[in-house]
Amino acid sequence: QVAFINAGALRINRDIAAGVEVTRREVEELLPYPSQTQRIRLDRPTLEAVLARSVRNWTGQGHWLQVAGLAFRHDPESRTVSDVTLLTPDGPRPLGADESVEAVTVTYLTTPSTGQDGYTMITPAHRVGEPGPAVKELVLEALENARDAGIAPVREGRICNVQRPGPCLAVPR
């Protein structure tokens, strides 16, 4: 349903210009760590705690999350998260109070001995199955499959700062 990775796992630290071919070297620089994927199941309070950790001291920190499949609002002043929204094929919908979500992340965030970038609310008990393929391999495969069509990321408004105008996919509960 959703996916997230901590920004500290992404290391290229520069923009790749639009319209240019993304090389294997750039992917290697972007994802230098052997980051395997891990499927997890989180209840709403745990997911909200994960998102709150992401935006705590949010400017330029490695624990900031890159997210897919969900949207939310954050208030940097009050350090709160609200309007957690699932982005489904049928459109955005609020996450229910008693609802759990399946997420894919990296094993680093699910392994207590790593420090987890402070995401200690994610425990081994949240894991579903064994680790999956490395993120780097999935990215390389997606780029290979895209070939000439390329990729075209857009600013959708998944992480919405209440103090800044802009697109926001989060819907009130």
Side-chain angles (χ1 to χ4, degrees):
Q1 292 172 291
V2 304
F4 56 84
I5 187 171
N6 56 315
L10 309 173
R11 295 294 180 153
I12 200 166
N13 206 23
R14 64 182 166 82
D15 291 336
I16 299 172
V20 301
E21 184 176 332
V22 178
T23 66
R24 182 173 184 104
R25 179 180 179 182
E26 288 166 322
V27 174
E28 294 285 347
E29 290 176 9
L30 176 66
L31 298 160
Y33 305 113
S35 301
Q36 283 187 278
T37 54
Q38 177 66 59
R39 198 164 46 120
I40 58 176
R41 179 167 287 285
L42 301 174
D43 59 20
R44 182 188 175 102
T46 305
L47 179 59
E48 287 177 337
V50 166
L51 299 176
R53 167 66 183 143
S54 174
V55 298
R56 190 174 305 125
N57 300 322
W58 64 279
T59 53
Q61 301 298 316
H63 63 266
W64 177 266
L65 294 179
Q66 305 296 322
V67 303
L70 67 98
F72 64 95
R73 294 181 209 285
H74 78 98
D75 184 336
E77 192 171 302
S78 67
R79 298 182 177 180
T80 58
V81 168
S82 63
D83 299 334
V84 178
T85 301
L86 292 179
L87 303 177
T88 74
D90 297 327
R93 71 168 179 79
L95 181 64
D98 296 326
E99 193 171 358
S100 292
V101 296
E102 258 194 35
V104 173
T105 189
V106 289
T107 55
Y108 174 78
L109 295 182
T110 70
T111 307
S113 64
T114 65
Q116 298 174 272
D117 235 348
Y119 290 97
T120 56
M121 70 289 294
I122 304 173
T123 69
H126 290 107
R127 294 180 190 154
V128 176
E130 295 299 316
V135 174
K136 184 184 315 183
E137 296 310 315
L138 294 173
V139 169
L140 289 168
E141 182 181 320
L143 289 171
E144 179 67 26
N145 290 339
R147 289 239 171 229
D148 294 336
I151 57 172
V154 295
R155 184 174 177 210
E156 297 175 311
R158 287 174 279 170
I159 303 173
C160 312
N161 181 330
V162 300
Q163 297 175 353
R164 293 184 182 168
C168 185
L169 295 172
V171 294
R173 200 167 105 174

